[in-house]
């Protein structure tokens, strides 16, 4: 273990010889080498600004610590509970100290994101069957997955292609639902499409032969 290398009591000897006279003197001094603590921790590469970051504290032989979260905030708790207020990339520093006053330092980087917000617009929300709409995804959703329910059809991706809604026996209402999810959670947006049935024309001729005019 590198932190324990050379630990213990040591006798140091220093001698000096005068180059002119050849006289020599020796000095003996005892030195105590204390062990080092080991500063170690892990944080997720991606975390959220809406709940505390998960810190895995792995330091060894430390009695005191000092945390720097890379944004001016800090803590002296062994295992702090901390929520980053703002998105961004942060380098977290941990300084571990043992009872001998020996120090060790460790660093780890994390990126903080936020809860996604689902939003979209439709080219139109009412029309005659067969009704085709275009969808524009307006979500603010970093590091997110996108799931669409188009009536009874499921689509997974940023934006579905042109979507066709079929005719029903009467005016049909179809829900278009977008759910966006990342490590911070899920939000949804729902809009309703009305599909008006095309009228069905029918007639009957009493006679199919007639005189002119």
């Amino acid at each position: 273990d590198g932190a324990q290398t050379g630990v213990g009591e040591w006798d140091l000897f220093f001698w000096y010889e005068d180059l002119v006279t050849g006289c020599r003197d020796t000095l003996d001094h005892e030195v105590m080498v204390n062990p080092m603590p080991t500063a170690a921790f892990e944080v997720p590469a991606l975390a959220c600004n809406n709940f505390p970051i998960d810190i895995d504290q792995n330091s060894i032989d430390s009695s005191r610590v000092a945390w720097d979260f890379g944004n001016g905030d800090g803590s002296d708790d062994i295992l702090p509970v901390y929520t980053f207020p703002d998105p961004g990339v942060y380098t977290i520093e941990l300084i571990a100290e043992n009872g001998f006053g020996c120090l060790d330092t460790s660093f780890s980087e994390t990126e903080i994101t936020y809860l996604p917000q689902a939003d979209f617009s439709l080219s139109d929300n009412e029309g005659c069957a067969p009704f085709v709409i275009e969808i524009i995804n307006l979500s603010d959703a970093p590091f997110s997955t996108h799931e669409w329910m188009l009536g009874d059809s499921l689509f997974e991706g940023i934006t579905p292609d042109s979507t066709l809604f079929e005719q029903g026996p009467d005016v049909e209402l179809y829900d278009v639902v977008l759910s966006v999810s990342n490590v911070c959670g899920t939000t949804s947006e729902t809009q309703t499409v009305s599909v008006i049935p095309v009228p069905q024309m029918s007639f009957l001729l009493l006679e199919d032969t007639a005189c002119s005019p």
Side-chain angles (χ1 to χ4, degrees):
D1 186 346
Q4 309 304 320
T5 301
V7 171
E9 293 185 3
W10 295 82
D11 286 330
L12 298 183
F13 294 91
F14 176 77
W15 60 268
Y16 174 77
E17 181 177 322
D18 190 301
L19 298 178
V20 176
T21 64
C23 297
R24 175 182 295 186
D25 190 22
T26 301
L27 179 66
D28 178 12
H29 187 74
E30 284 190 355
V31 174
M32 171 62 75
V33 178
N34 294 312
M36 288 281 292
T38 299
F41 70 100
E42 294 180 359
V43 292
L46 184 65
C48 300
N49 70 342
N50 60 343
F51 51 81
I53 188 170
D54 183 18
I55 299 176
D56 188 9
Q57 166 65 283
N58 299 313
S59 298
I60 301 172
D61 296 331
S62 60
S63 55
R64 297 174 57 191
V65 299
W67 295 89
D68 181 346
F69 295 109
N71 60 355
D73 291 344
S75 174
D76 56 5
D77 293 337
I78 295 294
L79 186 58
V81 177
Y82 182 74
T83 300
F84 281 90
D86 301 308
V89 178
Y90 300 93
T91 299
I92 302 173
E93 177 188 52
L94 168 63
I95 300 175
E97 180 180 356
N98 63 15
F100 301 106
C102 300
L103 305 176
D104 189 34
T105 304
S106 181
F107 299 89
S108 188
E109 187 176 273
T110 188
E111 182 164 0
I112 303 301
T113 189
Y114 49 88
L115 182 70
Q117 297 299 317
D119 188 21
F120 65 93
S121 66
L122 304 176
S123 56
D124 203 348
N125 61 3
E126 182 178 274
C128 296
F131 184 43
V132 178
I133 63 169
E134 302 289 339
I135 299 174
I136 299 177
N137 191 339
L138 303 173
S139 301
D140 181 9
F143 308 103
S144 295
T145 59
H146 297 69
E147 182 179 280
W148 299 82
M149 285 302 300
L150 308 167
D152 295 328
S153 300
L154 173 65
F155 174 81
E156 294 180 338
I158 300 295
T159 306
D161 295 330
S162 299
T163 302
L164 172 67
F165 293 96
E166 298 287 354
Q167 174 169 311
D170 202 343
V171 175
E172 291 287 333
L173 300 179
Y174 295 95
D175 283 337
V176 178
V177 183
L178 168 61
S179 298
V180 290
S181 304
N182 65 15
V183 294
C184 301
T186 301
T187 62
S188 299
E189 168 78 3
T190 301
Q191 297 187 36
T192 301
V193 173
S194 300
V195 180
I196 303 169
V198 175
Q200 304 296 314
M201 187 176 65
S202 176
F203 64 92
L204 176 65
L205 293 176
L206 297 178
E207 296 181 8
D208 58 5
T209 302
C211 295
S212 174

